[in-house]
Amino acid sequence: MVGKSERFILWFDEIGIEDIPLVGGKNASLGEMIRELSEKGINVPNGFAITSYAYRYFIKNANIEDKIREILSDLDTHNIRNLMERGRKIRELIENSELPRELEDAIINAYNEMGKRFGYGENPDVAVRSSATAEDLPDASFAGQQETFLNVRGAENVIKACKKCFASLFTDRAISYRVDKGFDHFNVYLSIGIQKMVRSDSASSGVAFSIDTESGFKDVVFITGSYGLGENIVQGKVNPDEFYVFKPTLKKGKRPIIGKKLGTKRIKMIYSECGNGTKNVETTEEERNKFCLSDDEILKLAEWVTIIEDHYSKREGRFKPMDVEWAKDGDGKNVGTGKLFIVQARPETVHSIRDKLVMRNYVLKERGRVLLEGQAVGDMIGQGEVNVIENAKDIRKFKKGQVLVTDMTDPDWEPIMKMAAAIVTNRGGRTCHAAIVSRELGIPCVIGTEKGTKILKTGQKVTVSCAEGEIGYIYDGLLKFEIEEINLDELPKTKTKIMMNVGIPEKAFFDGQIPNDGVGLAREEFIINSYIGIHPLALINYEKLKKRAKNNKKIAEVVEQIDKRTSAYKDKTQFFIDELARGIGRIAAAFYPNDVIVRFSDFKTNEYADLIGGFLYEPQESNPMIGWRGASRYYDENFKPAFGLECKAILKARNEFGLTNIKVMVPFCRTPEEGKKVIETMKEFGLVQGENGLEVYVMCEIPSNVILADKFAEIFDGFSIGSNDLTQLVLGLDRDSELVSHIYDERNDAVKKMIANVIKIARERG
């Protein structure tokens, strides 16, 4: 019997990760999952691999190896025209060569047997996927460099697709990448996977990483998804939905979906009517305004990704984050089974090899006019002259050090991407091609700007900043910036516990990796402003506002804005609860299991009035700084229902997400009696002090908090000193007034005595 190494065909259930030299990384991983993880409930579509031996057999018996060597003899990958010409010649040579009859027969026989063996029927629809033998090594990602063909039916079409796959080992980007990474063109071989299609053309598909792709934070699963077949996400043609799931509490049986972001999802890839191939069509308004996965499906995918990561990490004997592609098999009624499937799994190749002990912090030293914004990839800053290139055939016009601006990228763009100072695209999510490659190359990239190619002009000088959180900004001009480098191993240990102030959830995964003892102050205001943007009472009274909108233009505008922001929600109050819970949850997850003290909202009336619909509910005060703010709002019947939404958000983060490291804090609590009223109001909404370990702190920022510290200590579990407000109230000044700002000093003896007193009482109370 012919040994494994000399067979043309190997079924997925015959191979494992040890067979990469025979079947490439992609196929070996599919076999590994089918053999080892099916019993853990993970669904993987079946099929077979055409081996690398078959590829070598073809090249040798078609007598084309010497011709390929001759074409490559004067290759210059830095000369784009030279690279494109040689790549085209080799691909044409391979595609026009005949497969040996015995190899073609073996492929056709396996395809026909596949339908019978797995119950897929005659002429099953399959994906024909390339799998290079050097693919997805720890320090090199070959993903996406070779071709994939979807919805291929019939033996003749399978053979055509296979020849195109073999030829794709010599795409321009593959040739260039091998040269850059030092791989010999004739030591990298191609295997092909023939895999049953998952009918995501009638459902959804996407990509999932077992770590955060931007920060490298290892305790989350990051999932992207869109309607239709998955190529649009990989190629960056759509801005997908995004989800984060926290792994530690997921493993405890909780439902920790700490991030959900609705993508535009303007198109989807479906089957062509002719029976072979695919096409893109526009999505419906309904599809764009709802998430492509249910919460149960998000959690199931996260569970599978975690199982896959654990399996490969155990096998390798070290932490091994994974990059996974998933698809849903139709709606389960009209098409397919409605089940989720994993269609690929490979090692993540950026953060898995990054030096964790060195932190580089890019800091913009000046501000400029914002020309454009989108999603930031990475945390770097780049700048240079814009070069707008619409089509890959024009990439030879690009010069090293320019800022590449285009609609989207695919692997054909890689020869110039590595020369770019920064990259800006109209389309794509954080798992698209542009995002993956820019991370690997260490180049700042802003994706999904939607109109970058229209607003930015060739020759214009810009600064591209990904160093300001989740949003990436393109500024006019070349702005000054610095790179701070910190060796975490050299940081001294401190006797004092260092807790951080955190308000921006998008930065939490970065901040949490700096040595710390938790979060001393997590502000709700940024989350409410940025994630929600709507006054909570406007959401509570949404149905009443809709009726009033018929006769009031201003209220009609409020309703329109609410509808736009909450399109995925029928229950508008749930939008507030979920968004606030996820913002808080993301911060708490980043610092888990260390304490995270979350301060209830401390907007002043003028700040609340700035939220959508806020003008309907907020009074005008002459001095909002010492007016209706903090604790006095929470038990007031006019605001109490809104405070109830905050309590429900905290409950969700603690109970549903399992983030019991969250403590809450009450700001601007003037009297002990007020403190008791707040505690009782919290109780009305299910947030009970002491229950499930919940601790309630109070801000010490009013002189009465210090003078009556012993009384407040009987009500609350701890103090947090708010020196800003305490200073202005002790010294009797408005810190926002320029006229008296020279007197404002937190080091004033009166302020220091106040702080010393409250510390003394707190210590006495233990």
Side-chain angles (χ1 to χ4, degrees), residues 382-546:
Q383 55 187 203
E385 186 180 90
V386 167
N387 193 336
V388 179
I389 300 180
E390 302 270 9
N391 196 298
K393 65 180 174 58
D394 297 320
I395 62 175
R396 63 181 180 276
K397 297 176 182 177
F398 190 81
K399 295 177 182 175
K400 187 175 182 179
Q402 291 182 323
V403 174
L404 173 63
V405 180
T406 187
D407 184 49
M408 59 176 215
T409 68
D410 60 32
D412 289 327
W413 293 78
E414 287 177 25
I416 65 167
M417 290 174 78
K418 64 191 177 186
M419 299 189 292
I423 298 168
V424 178
T425 71
N426 292 341
R427 295 189 280 169
R430 287 197 285 137
T431 55
C432 72
H433 176 268
I436 291 170
V437 172
S438 62
R439 271 187 219 105
E440 185 179 322
L441 294 173
I443 294 171
C445 176
V446 178
I447 53 175
T449 63
E450 297 195 344
K451 48 191 177 182
T453 53
K454 291 182 179 178
I455 290 179
L456 302 177
K457 306 299 179 187
T458 294
Q460 184 177 12
K461 291 181 179 178
V462 298
T463 297
V464 179
S465 173
C466 296
E468 300 168 70
E470 203 165 64
I471 298 173
Y473 297 96
I474 294 89
Y475 294 99
D476 190 20
L478 305 179
L479 305 182
K480 292 178 183 176
F481 68 93
E482 289 181 356
I483 305 171
E484 300 172 348
E485 195 166 284
I486 303 166
N487 190 323
L488 300 181
D489 208 30
E490 294 175 359
L491 289 180
K493 300 287 182 184
T494 58
K495 290 181 180 179
T496 306
K497 284 189 175 182
I498 304 295
M499 298 182 83
M500 302 173 73
N501 283 7
V502 179
I504 304 174
E506 291 94 327
K507 294 185 72 177
F509 292 161
F510 288 98
D511 294 343
Q513 295 179 73
I514 300 169
N516 69 84
D517 295 292
V519 175
L521 175 61
R523 301 178 181 91
E524 285 188 6
E525 292 82 39
F526 181 88
I527 301 168
I528 294 171
N529 245 330
S530 301
Y531 280 43
I532 300 167
I534 306 165
H535 196 289
L537 291 174
L539 294 168
I540 289 168
N541 295 302
Y542 173 74
E543 294 301 329
K544 291 178 183 176
L545 291 179
K546 276 178 74 177

Side-chain angles (χ1 to χ4, degrees), residues 319-330:
F319 176 60
K320 196 173 183 71
M322 298 298 290
D323 168 359
V324 172
E325 291 183 27
W326 63 270
K328 184 179 176 183
D329 190 33

